Amino acid sequence: MIKVGIAQGCQTRMILRASSDEAHFWLNGYVNKQNCRIWSEANPQVYDVETPLHPEKLTVWCALWAGGIIGPYFFKNDEGRNVTANGDRYRAMITNFFIPELNNHDVQKLWFQQDGATCHTARATIDLLKDTLGDRLISRFGPVNWPPRSCDLTPLDYFLWGYVKSLVYADKPQTLDHLEDNIRRVIADIRPQMLEKVIENWTSRLDYIQASRGSHI
C-alpha cells in the first residue's frame, strides 16, 4: 500500500515542488551485471573479462522543478577527488550549493522532496532543511512524509537519470573529467518544454494515487 502525503490535502497542481536525488555514473558506462539473466535455447558464450573491483564513478545530485533543474552537483572531497554522499557531504551541499541556488530563483513557496536515504534523513539534515524550508519539506521524518520505495513517483528516477545516462556515454568518455563534462552538457541542454511534459506526467501520477486512495498502480 502506497500512501502519499500531498501537502496536507492540497491539490497537486497548486503546489510548486522540487524533487531531488543522487545517482552514480560509472566510468565507461559500467553496469552491475549481477542480476542479469539470459533466456535462450542455445548455450550463451560467456568470456571472463578483467574489470576493476570498484570502477571509478561520479556521484551526482540534482533537483528538478517546474522552473528547471538545479545542478548538477558533483560530490568531491577537499582534495577535489570524487566521493560518494554521506551526511556531512549532503549537508554541505545543501548549505553551500542548494540554498544559494534556491535563493537565486526566488521561490519562497517551493516544497522540497527527497527520498529516505540515510544521509537525507539524519536528524542534523532534517533540522537544516526545516530551518530553510519550514513545513515545506516532504521527506521521511519531515513535516510531510514521502512513501518509501516509490521511485515511479519521482521525476529524477523515472526520467532524468535514465535520459542523461542514455546520452553521456555516446562518445565513450575515458576519464571522469570527460564524463563530468558530458553530464553538465546534457543537463544544460534539457529544454523547458521537456520539463513541462515531465511535470505534467508527475502530477498525473500523483492525481492517480490520490484517486485510488494509495492503492498499487
Side-chain angles (χ1 to χ4, degrees), residues 190-208:
I190 295 176
R191 300 295 92 194
Q193 294 81 1
M194 181 179 291
L195 292 179
E196 288 176 5
K197 293 184 181 298
V198 172
I199 297 302
E200 288 176 3
N201 185 283
W202 190 16
T203 55
S204 67
R205 288 170 185 243
L206 295 177
D207 286 343
Y208 187 90

Side-chain angles (χ1 to χ4, degrees), residues 35-47:
N35 295 321
C36 288
R37 299 293 182 267
I38 300 174
W39 298 93
S40 174
E41 294 181 358
N43 181 25
Q45 301 300 312
V46 179
Y47 300 91

Side-chain angles (χ1 to χ4, degrees), residues 58 74 168 176-186:
L58 300 173
F74 297 87
V168 296
L176 291 177
D177 287 342
H178 186 179
L179 179 58
E180 181 176 325
D181 289 342
N182 284 0
I183 294 169
R184 292 185 186 278
R185 172 180 51 78
V186 169

